[in-house]
Amino acid sequence: MANGYIAVIDSGIGGLTVLKSLVKEFPNENFIYYGDNKNAPYGNYSAFTVRRLTLKILTELFCYDIKFVVIACNTISLCAADLVRGVYKTFCVYPPAELLETKKEYTALLATLSTCDHYKHYKYIRPFPLKYLAGDIERNIFCLDHIDITSHIKKIPKKYKNVILGCTHYGFVENDISIHLKPPKTLNGTKALIAAIKKDRKISINSKNISKNQVIFIGENSKYNFEVWKKVVIN
Ligand code: DGL
């Protein structure tokens, strides 16, 4: 399936921040984007509900020739990646927590409730669950200056030298988070995701431009996600 699509999925618009990096990194590939905006945000649901919604996303993908799937959503990666892996070759975005735990660097993890639940037992990583930020971004994507970061997170203690943006939606307000928290270093999971794709010898990444670098938007929210892509992400 050398010419199939790379499918990028998320609960809503968050995965578009990952899609932007993927398009840049793999310019000879074609992409499909599916965002489940109607049911976003996923981060406050139980794992059971996230899994049920992920099964629905999978049925949408069945109609297309898929080369591999990128789960551009930390919440889905942590709750339901096994379901996607059962059908497609799959790459996931995760908060790069292990790396910083190994380096013994105190790190604040900003993420959804669901994602934060998975990172309770680390010594150097402290989860800061932001219950409403992804939803706020989802609603205000065309007027991001309406979002008041200080209402979502107070200051964090000085010992945290790194801040992980553990939700792909947060990429849209990365600047505001940096201005508010002034962390020495901000990280997300996209770099490791791209490294994992490049390292995998079982998939072939096109080195020649076989067809145009196409991004198609599928599902009931396709028009909306295309608008966000055009007006906010790549403009
Ligand atoms: N963008 C998703 C993530 O990375 C989820 C946000 C949400 O739907 O709560 O976790």
Side-chain angles (χ1 to χ4, degrees):
M1 262 194 228
N3 297 329
Y5 290 96
I6 298 175
V8 181
I9 63 169
D10 181 46
S11 62
I13 54 176
L16 294 172
T17 60
V18 179
L19 179 63
K20 186 180 182 185
S21 304
L22 291 169
V23 166
K24 193 168 156 223
E25 204 63 47
F26 306 115
N28 302 316
E29 296 294 328
N30 294 321
F31 295 85
I32 276 179
Y33 187 83
Y34 182 91
D36 186 19
N37 316 65
K38 205 179 98 195
N39 293 304
Y42 278 18
N44 300 332
Y45 294 145
S46 66
F48 178 83
T49 303
V50 174
R51 291 173 74 76
R52 192 171 51 76
L53 293 169
T54 304
L55 283 178
K56 220 185 103 218
I57 299 178
L58 270 178
T59 61
E60 293 279 344
L61 299 184
F62 288 155
C63 309
Y64 299 87
D65 176 12
I66 306 289
K67 185 171 185 167
F68 60 85
V69 175
V70 171
I71 304 182
C73 172
N74 296 268
T75 305
I76 302 179
S77 296
L78 289 159
C79 295
D82 59 314
L83 298 177
V84 186
R85 277 207 184 99
V87 188
Y88 296 110
K89 175 97 195 156
T90 305
F91 296 90
C92 296
V93 73
Y94 293 109
E98 265 79 18
L99 177 75
L100 298 162
E101 179 76 6
T102 318
K103 286 187 181 167
K104 301 188 174 165
E105 291 185 19
Y106 281 101
T107 299
L109 167 63
L110 312 187
T112 64
L113 260 60
S114 169
T115 296
C116 283
D117 260 359
H118 289 83
Y119 293 90
K120 279 183 186 156
H121 308 293
Y122 288 76
K123 182 167 177 209
Y124 295 93
I125 313 292
R126 175 164 158 204
F128 288 82
L130 307 183
K131 193 169 180 187
Y132 302 110
L133 183 56
D136 205 358
I137 294 167
E138 196 65 43
R139 278 188 307 277
N140 289 301
I141 189 66
F142 294 114
C143 47
L144 287 168
D145 51 338
H146 288 188
I147 297 173
D148 176 12
I149 289 297
T150 63
S151 71
H152 292 283
I153 180 157
K154 307 292 163 223
K155 291 283 180 201
I156 54 173
K158 273 215 160 55
K159 75 170 177 182
Y160 296 102
K161 300 291 179 217
N162 308 298
V163 165
I164 296 177
L165 302 184
C167 166
T168 51
H169 280 68
Y170 301 170
F172 288 109
V173 291
E174 183 167 355
N175 250 353
D176 301 304
I177 292 177
S178 294
I179 291 167
H180 175 48
L181 299 178
K182 300 187 181 55
K185 210 155 103 200
T186 307
L187 304 99
N188 62 41
T190 306
K191 203 171 148 196
L193 165 81
I194 288 173
I197 297 173
K198 285 185 168 170
K199 217 173 104 188
D200 196 307
R201 298 195 180 278
K202 293 205 186 101
I203 55 165
S204 63
I205 295 293
N206 295 328
S207 54
K208 273 200 241 106
N209 202 343
I210 291 172
S211 56
K212 268 209 309 252
N213 185 206
Q214 233 186 41
V215 181
I216 60 168
F217 292 82
I218 63 163
E220 55 192 322
N221 310 293
S222 54
K223 275 198 186 131
Y224 181 75
N225 286 315
F226 180 52
E227 280 301 295
V228 177
W229 175 250
K230 254 188 345 196
K231 294 193 176 146
V232 185
V233 185
I234 56 164
N235 77 350

